[in-house]
Amino acid sequence: MSSEIQISIVDDDEHSRAALAGLMEAMGFTIEAFPSALDFLASPNFRHTSCLIVDVHMPRMTGIELHSRLVGSGYDIPTILITAYPDDSARARALGRGVVGYLTKPIDEKVLLGYVESALQRAKSDENPS
C-alpha cells in the first residue's frame, strides 16, 4: 500500500481509535486520527483524506452528519461508518447517501479492509474520470 494514501479515523473512543489507527498503519497507510468530527474538520489536512473511517455516535456531530456536511461542501470523501449501536434504518439511510460501508463493532478486520479497498478504488476513479 502507498504511504501517499491517507486514512482519517474519527472516533471519540480512544481505544477504538487507537486500534483502528494501528491496523491501518500496519497495512502501510498514512493515518490521521481525531477524537471528534469538529477536530477532523479543523485539520488543515482533511482535504487530503483518501478514505474516512468514522464512528456513527459521537457528541456534537455524528458520523452521518459529518459525511453529509462534507458532501454538501463538495468533499465527497469515501466514508466507512462504524458503530457499537447498529440500526437498520440508519444503515439504509447512510448507504443511500453514498457511504461505502456501515460496520458494527467489534469490527471484522477483513471486512473493514475490503471496504477500505472499495473506498480507495472509488477515490481513484473520482480523481481519474474516464
Side-chain angles (χ1 to χ4, degrees):
M1 298 292 165
S2 171
S3 62
E4 293 176 16
I5 296 171
Q6 179 177 308
I7 308 289
S8 291
I9 298 165
V10 182
D11 194 329
D12 61 320
D13 179 278
E14 183 178 348
H15 296 292
S16 179
R17 189 172 63 246
L20 286 168
L23 174 63
M24 293 296 110
E25 286 176 338
M27 297 305 298
F29 296 114
T30 299
I31 302 300
E32 287 221 39
F34 304 91
S36 75
L38 297 176
D39 287 325
F40 171 73
L41 291 171
S43 167
N45 295 326
F46 89 84
R47 292 173 183 87
H48 303 296
T49 298
S50 304
C51 175
L52 176 62
I53 302 171
V54 60
D55 189 16
V56 171
H57 297 281
M58 296 183 294
R60 299 177 63 199
M61 184 184 295
T62 69
I64 293 170
E65 290 168 339
L66 173 59
H67 175 72
S68 294
R69 183 168 176 176
L70 288 168
V71 170
S73 298
Y75 299 105
D76 190 12
I77 299 169
T79 301
I80 300 165
L81 296 174
I82 57 174
T83 184
Y85 308 99
D87 175 319
D88 288 339
S89 64
R91 180 183 192 277
R93 280 192 314 274
L95 292 172
R97 292 180 181 164
V99 301
V100 175
Y102 184 99
L103 297 172
T104 302
K105 295 177 184 179
I107 295 169
D108 180 312
E109 292 179 4
K110 288 182 182 177
V111 173
L112 174 62
L113 292 172
Y115 279 129
V116 168
E117 280 299 317
S118 293
L120 296 176
Q121 286 300 320
R122 184 171 125 188
K124 188 176 183 181
S125 67
D126 288 349
E127 289 174 4
N128 302 312
S130 317

